[in-house]
Amino acid sequence: MQMPERAAAVSSCRGAFVCEQPCINSSTNVEAEARRHGSRGNAQRRCQEKPRGSCRRTRTHTSKGLFEGRTLKPGRTSLTKMSWCSSFRGSKFRHVFGKPATREHSYDGVPITHSVHDNHYCSANPCFIAVVTECTAGGGFLVLPIHHTGRVVPQHPRVCGHRGRVLDVKWNPFDDYSIASCSEDCTVKIWDIPAFGLQQNLTKARKTLVGHSRRVAIIEWHPTAENLLLSSAYDYKVLLWDISQAGAVILHPVRVILMPVHHRYPSEALLLSVSFNSDGSRLAVTSKDRRVRVLDPRLGKILQVSSYKSHRANKVLYIDGLKMLLSTGSSSWKHRQMVLWDAEDLSEPLYEEDLDGSAGVLFPFYDPDTHMLYLAGKGDGNIRFYELSAEKPFISFLNEYRSVLPQKGLGVMPKRGLDVMACEVFRFYRLIAVKDLVEPLSMIVPRKKTEVFQEDLYPLTAGNQAAVTAREWLLGINRDPVLISLNPEIKPENPYAEVSNERLSSIGFMLAPPPGVVTEDQDFIELAFLEEQLAYQDAKYPEDGDDLLSEWQADETRLPLWTYCCEPVETPPPPGDHELLQAFYRQQDQIRDLRMELTQKEVRILQLELEIKNYRNHMRANF
């Protein structure tokens, strides 16, 4: 074959190869390929010489979502430009990952409670972490300084003033040294924690809220008003308390949100979860009938009720900033699912997604600053990350953290307690009951320059300053949370001015109920259920001696006669390694002495048995 003919054949083969390629490039790339191997007219002519359909090739849309159907028809001079359809959204939180703490930086040796309630059993703030523990008598929880990591000694002091098992604990969002706890003994207690932590067992609470006749399962602080606490119990009552009232024991709540009427116990009054909106003017709840409701917490009026029968809600959460609600529960096929609702219309959900077929309760956590949603299941080892938006499809999956150790509950650190220089946007405290371990888990956004404050990751967030007082909120004033900057160099002032007493008096006059109509009924209702709950407590928890309430004086000078301590030793843990080693040696000596005493008692028992046997033989021989 001559050289010109060989070159023409090679050019023809190359032109055919170009025509048979999948159409994943633009027309400019094809023209460049044609100029590289021959003229544009030759490439078109060689393509037309092939049989019809030989240059037609189609790439269908795969499950990865990378390519769509592409067709190259004979005689076309250019290819259709591909429309790139990526399965990922352009988000700066796309690569967020979970970073668990090491064993040395975790809390080891914590006897986590064995309770089966669907609560978190853990609460954290920038100063302390509180964990509900298992106790032999009464109920208690452990309070540790946030930097007290490592091994926790069994003799560490605890808060153990409840007579029943503790079911939930919550730190005051406006006071890092005040914590509330609810228990099976039908009471809610407010505790004051010393600045340097507990040095001995704490058995005396600052306030005791006596308003329920069954075990209290849920407590929640108001997000903007100071000293307001909500409690829900198995007596179908939802009460709102003002803990700033005088006296060590508070008998009357400031609001009765829900309660039984005429001995009827509606299922909507037995709550499974509660969530305030950003200013505290609305309350979203899920009840025993597995529906989502929106209430006015001042009036106790139900504003919205979900009627969607294919979703059985268990937990609910307000999505601040997007005017939405998110609930987790189960579908008709017993699959775990999450549902997104319009906060103003609960007739139909905006979004619904089935997740898996597990049976554990899904706990939702939402960060309004980053619009990220976290879903963690009780008994699961994984945590899913999502990003929420106001436009469809509303929810976008980002990533997932996986662990082989299941979590019994989770605590969340407020944003002001995060390590902003490490690009930490969220922090969990996983309760791993099988290991007696509390493991911090940080959500990190990878950035190249970690020594610079990332303003796009940390906008202004809610601080530890109340926006309104309890009296102002009860009179109808709504305010958004006071925002602070996580940058230590910026400290914005409180944008809300103080309200004068004259204005409060005028507002109170306008909002006060008519005399003789509501006030008398309210007093009658309070007296009725107060007698019921006190009678129930006296019957279920009998006490020796005087009544418990008589020991709690207004001046707080007299201590209660009883103490339900979890540990017999009330001394603080050894401060150093040398003292710890000495305490260990003393315990070994005590164990050795106890073993010798036990051995002597066993020998004495054998001697007595032998004497009894000889005496019986002697009696038989004589008779």
Side-chain angles (χ1 to χ4, degrees):
M1 183 181 295
Q2 300 297 328
M3 294 299 297
E5 298 177 356
R6 184 180 301 174
V10 172
S11 177
S12 176
C13 294
R14 288 177 178 174
F17 175 76
V18 172
C19 291
E20 293 179 358
Q21 293 300 312
C23 301
I24 60 175
N25 298 321
S26 61
S27 59
T28 57
N29 295 335
V30 175
E31 293 173 1
E33 186 73 12
R35 287 194 300 268
R36 186 181 300 113
H37 300 293
S39 64
R40 179 176 178 182
N42 294 336
Q44 296 177 3
R45 183 167 53 254
R46 295 187 188 95
C47 186
Q48 292 176 357
E49 292 175 357
K50 298 184 70 67
R52 181 177 179 86
S54 61
C55 292
R56 183 181 180 90
R57 186 168 182 177
T58 302
R59 176 78 56 95
T60 59
H61 180 77
T62 62
S63 61
K64 298 295 182 180
L66 297 179
F67 299 102
E68 295 181 352
R70 300 290 179 263
T71 303
L72 179 63
K73 296 182 179 180
R76 293 183 64 95
T77 60
S78 62
L79 300 177
T80 305
K81 187 176 181 179
M82 186 194 69
S83 61
W84 184 267
C85 183
S86 175
S87 61
F88 296 98
R89 296 177 64 251
S91 172
K92 56 187 173 183
F93 304 107
R94 172 181 171 182
H95 300 288
V96 65
F97 65 95
K99 181 181 179 181
T102 59
R103 194 87 175 192
E104 293 77 13
H105 294 85
S106 301
Y107 307 89
D108 194 7
V110 180
I112 301 172
T113 179
H114 297 164
S115 177
V116 296
H117 277 76
D118 296 331
N119 291 334
H120 298 304
Y121 305 113
C122 180
S123 183
N125 65 17
C127 298
F128 300 100
I129 177 175
V131 181
V132 181
T133 57
E134 186 68 19
C135 299
T136 56
F141 57 94
L142 195 65
V143 176
L144 297 172
I146 202 66
H147 300 294
H148 187 168
T149 56
R151 184 72 180 178
V152 179
V153 296
Q155 294 82 14
H156 195 282
R158 306 184 190 183
V159 180
C160 47
H162 282 285
R163 293 175 291 164
R165 189 190 298 268
V166 176
L167 299 181
D168 199 8
V169 290
K170 291 289 177 61
W171 288 101
N172 191 336
F174 310 120
D175 187 358
D176 291 338
Y177 304 98
S178 176
I179 188 172
S181 62
C182 61
S183 171
E184 291 182 350
D185 63 0
C186 314
T187 62
V188 180
K189 294 180 181 292
I190 312 297
W191 309 86
D192 286 336
I193 306 300
F196 297 98
L198 296 178
Q199 301 299 321
Q200 60 182 0
N201 286 343
L202 183 60
T203 59
K204 179 176 174 57
R206 176 166 61 93
K207 300 286 183 181
T208 301
L209 313 181
V210 182
H212 293 283
S213 59
R214 297 292 187 273
R215 60 181 182 270
V216 185
I218 298 175
I219 53 176
E220 188 70 29
W221 291 95
H222 196 278
T224 58
E226 190 177 12
N227 296 323
L228 281 184
L229 179 67
L230 180 141
S231 64
S232 173
Y234 279 78
D235 57 357
Y236 296 85
K237 297 172 186 175
V238 183
L239 308 178
L240 192 64
W241 305 86
D242 182 7
I243 65 172
S244 62
Q245 297 180 11
V249 179
I250 301 177
L251 302 177
H252 301 282
V254 294
R255 287 290 185 273
V256 179
I257 301 177
L258 294 175
M259 68 173 299
V261 180
H262 302 299
H263 302 285
R264 291 189 300 107
Y265 297 91
S267 58
E268 62 267 15
L270 184 56
L271 305 187
L272 302 180
S273 68
V274 298
S275 176
F276 283 100
N277 64 345
S278 59
D279 59 359
S281 61
R282 292 292 181 267
L283 180 68
V285 301
T286 55
S287 308
K288 186 179 178 181
D289 59 357
R290 301 303 182 91
R291 292 186 178 184
V292 180
R293 288 176 173 83
V294 176
L295 290 81
D296 186 344
R298 293 188 181 93
L299 304 176
K301 181 180 179 181
I302 299 177
L303 305 178
Q304 294 283 335
V305 182
S306 65
S307 58
Y308 191 62
K309 298 182 180 180
S310 298
H311 176 68
R312 295 175 55 83
N314 198 314
K315 300 294 180 180
V316 67
L317 193 66
Y318 251 106
I319 306 300
D320 297 331
L322 300 180
K323 297 182 180 180
M324 296 180 183
L325 288 172
L326 184 133
S327 64
T328 60
S330 59
S331 63
S332 302
W333 298 92
K334 304 301 180 182
H335 291 170
R336 292 196 301 187
Q337 62 177 189
M338 62 175 175
V339 174
L340 200 63
W341 308 84
D342 185 359
E344 303 297 333
D345 185 11
L346 299 182
S347 59
E348 289 292 335
L350 299 176
Y351 179 86
E352 181 180 3
E353 179 180 350
D354 292 343
L355 300 175
D356 51 41
S358 300
V361 177
L362 276 176
F363 295 114
F365 303 90
Y366 179 67
D367 184 6
D369 300 333
T370 59
H371 299 292
M372 288 188 63
L373 173 70
Y374 304 88
L375 294 182
K378 183 178 180 180
D380 298 348
N382 62 330
I383 299 178
R384 300 176 176 91
F385 321 145
Y386 299 85
E387 187 174 11
L388 274 62
S389 62
E391 302 177 354
K392 291 184 178 181
F394 303 113
I395 297 180
S396 301
F397 177 78
L398 295 176
N399 205 343
E400 183 177 9
Y401 168 78
R402 291 181 176 273
S403 174
V404 297
L405 299 176
Q407 61 235 0
K408 184 179 180 64
L410 297 110
V412 175
M413 173 64 71
K415 295 297 290 291
R416 54 192 175 89
L418 301 180
D419 186 3
V420 296
M421 304 311 295
C423 298
E424 183 184 21
V425 295
F426 213 80
R427 186 191 302 171
F428 290 103
Y429 288 89
R430 301 178 63 235
L431 303 186
I432 304 175
V434 295
K435 296 288 185 179
D436 289 340
L437 182 69
V438 180
E439 179 189 60
L441 176 64
S442 300
M443 299 300 163
I444 306 294
V445 177
R447 291 290 175 92
K448 292 183 179 180
K449 297 181 180 180
T450 57
E451 67 278 1
V452 180
F453 180 75
Q454 306 290 335
E455 296 183 358
D456 60 329
L457 297 181
Y458 303 102
L460 295 180
T461 186
N464 58 345
Q465 185 176 1
V468 293
T469 63
R471 183 186 177 190
E472 291 173 352
W473 184 85
L474 292 172
L475 293 177
I477 298 177
N478 294 326
R479 287 177 178 172
D480 291 331
V482 178
L483 303 181
I484 62 172
S485 175
L486 298 181
N487 190 345
E489 300 179 356
I490 302 176
K491 295 181 180 180
E493 298 180 356
N494 187 354
Y496 303 116
E498 297 293 335
V499 180
S500 61
N501 294 330
E502 297 179 356
R503 182 185 176 188
L504 288 178
S505 301
S506 61
I507 295 177
F509 176 78
M510 291 185 294
L511 297 180
V517 178
V518 181
T519 305
E520 295 180 359
D521 296 340
Q522 185 72 15
D523 293 340
F524 175 76
I525 293 175
E526 290 181 355
L527 290 175
F529 78 77
L530 180 60
E531 293 177 358
E532 175 191 353
Q533 60 201 260
L534 291 179
Y536 178 82
Q537 292 184 18
D538 293 339
K540 186 173 182 180
Y541 299 99
E543 299 180 10
D544 298 332
D546 298 335
D547 188 18
L548 170 64
L549 300 181
S550 63
E551 302 294 337
W552 296 52
Q553 305 299 330
D555 55 357
E556 301 186 1
T557 57
R558 187 177 181 184
L559 293 176
L561 298 178
W562 51 269
T563 55
Y564 287 87
C565 299
C566 306
E567 300 292 340
V569 182
E570 297 188 3
T571 57
D577 296 339
H578 181 68
E579 291 80 0
L580 182 61
L581 191 60
Q582 289 182 351
F584 173 74
Y585 289 151
R586 287 195 299 268
Q587 290 181 359
Q588 293 296 322
D589 295 338
Q590 294 176 2
I591 293 174
R592 190 181 303 108
D593 295 340
L594 292 175
R595 287 179 178 175
M596 292 179 61
E597 185 179 354
L598 180 61
T599 303
Q600 293 175 1
K601 290 184 177 180
E602 290 179 352
V603 172
R604 181 58 180 166
I605 291 173
L606 292 177
Q607 292 177 355
L608 293 175
E609 289 179 352
L610 183 59
E611 291 179 2
I612 293 173
K613 183 178 180 181
N614 293 336
Y615 180 75
R616 289 179 178 176
N617 293 335
H618 178 71
M619 295 295 293
R620 291 174 183 172
N622 292 334
F623 292 97

